[in-house]
Amino acid sequence: MRLQPEAIGSGMTSQRVRDRLVQRLRDEGIRDERVLNAIRTVPRHLFVDEALATRAYEDTALPIGHGQTISQPWVVARMTEALMSVAPGRVLEIGTGSGYQAAILAALGLEVHTVERIGELLRVARKRFRSLGLNVRSKHDDGRIGWPENGPFDAILVTAAAPALVDALGHQLATGGVLVAPVGGATSQSLVMLQKQPDGRLQSHDLGPVVFVPLLSGMVD
Ligand code: SAH
């Protein structure tokens, strides 16, 4: 990844502050050094509004406008760690939002595809990818249909919650691939990891409780 000088930051966005976040994630059970290193490298403060930049290295979700949030770093780390367990090449994210999760995946050297239903969020995320020199393929669409022309994917991350898994996404998963998604309603969700077996079945593991914004239908500008 090519980082521009302004990405290095100072004060509340300095390397020391980022290292403290990484240590906290380590203390809270994140073990994959590749993932921790990506979190150390990707400037999260450039994925939120300037007014929130000083809070960017707290382990908390933050608003990004349009009623949406950038996920909590621990959740990003946990989902990424689950995905890295299958040595993926090509990955799909549903719910680009700020673009931060996609940037973490790109920093890990993965071939990233991401889909967002809110056009304005996607436009801003694309600018961030460009200015950080990150190679991410993105599309403005209802992510519940996935991205069938570019599948199958070794891993699919869904970063918005639905009461049930979306079948179309399971179909776009390669054999041995994993789908990581929050499943549940507004108040109670579990992070679920499904792995596609050679016979096509999806074997499920529960990774614990999480809170995500809802997966909605249709597109908006
Ligand atoms: N991964 C994001 C988190 C964004 S929050 C980040 O790193 O910042 C969830 C995002 O999912 C929101 O931007 C929301 O607009 C989007 N979303 C919700 N339903 C969707 C759908 N059906 N298709 C695509 N994106 C969707």
Side-chain angles (χ1 to χ4, degrees):
M1 182 177 50
R2 204 160 39 79
L3 286 181
Q4 307 294 328
E6 74 270 20
I8 304 303
S10 62
M12 289 305 286
T13 61
S14 68
Q15 199 56 57
R16 190 174 48 84
V17 174
R18 297 187 202 185
D19 287 344
R20 204 184 299 147
L21 171 63
V22 167
Q23 186 54 44
R24 176 167 177 169
L25 297 177
R26 210 190 285 282
D27 293 345
E28 288 176 3
I30 305 299
R31 291 281 169 266
D32 190 320
E33 288 299 329
R34 297 167 298 180
V35 174
L36 292 168
N37 204 39
I39 295 212
R40 186 181 291 113
T41 323
V42 175
R44 189 169 184 258
H45 66 280
L46 299 184
F47 289 82
V48 294
D49 204 78
E50 244 174 277
L52 289 171
T54 57
R55 302 191 54 201
Y57 299 96
E58 293 175 15
D59 189 20
T60 177
L62 293 168
I64 56 171
H66 304 265
Q68 307 304 318
T69 53
I70 179 174
S71 306
Q72 179 191 354
W74 184 85
V75 169
V76 171
R78 191 69 195 91
M79 290 180 93
T80 309
E81 196 171 58
L83 162 159
M84 290 302 281
S85 68
V86 298
R90 178 182 294 229
V91 302
L92 173 67
E93 178 196 29
I94 306 303
T96 315
S98 67
Y100 179 69
Q101 171 76 73
I104 293 285
L105 299 173
L108 284 161
L110 308 178
E111 191 192 311
V112 186
H113 298 73
T114 183
V115 184
E116 171 58 54
R117 66 182 285 276
I118 301 178
E120 181 54 28
L121 286 178
L122 189 58
R123 275 191 289 281
V124 177
R126 280 176 173 156
K127 275 193 204 146
R128 292 175 174 138
F129 299 146
R130 238 187 333 261
S131 73
L132 291 170
L134 295 169
N135 186 18
V136 174
R137 298 180 70 175
S138 63
K139 127 177 128 140
H140 182 205
D141 208 342
D142 181 340
R144 294 177 314 155
I145 62 166
W147 201 332
E149 314 85 273
N150 287 0
F153 298 94
D154 304 311
I156 301 178
L157 289 189
V158 185
T159 68
L165 282 159
V166 180
D167 284 343
L169 298 179
H171 295 315
Q172 289 167 40
L173 205 54
T175 301
V178 291
L179 191 157
V180 184
V183 177
T187 52
S188 162
Q189 304 160 9
S190 287
L191 190 61
V192 174
M193 169 163 138
L194 300 160
Q195 185 161 34
K196 195 166 205 168
Q197 306 301 305
D199 64 6
R201 276 183 318 112
L202 294 174
Q203 195 174 66
S204 171
H205 306 266
D206 192 332
L207 302 180
V210 284
V211 183
F212 277 85
V213 294
L215 190 71
L216 300 174
S217 56
M219 291 159 69
V220 293
D221 289 344

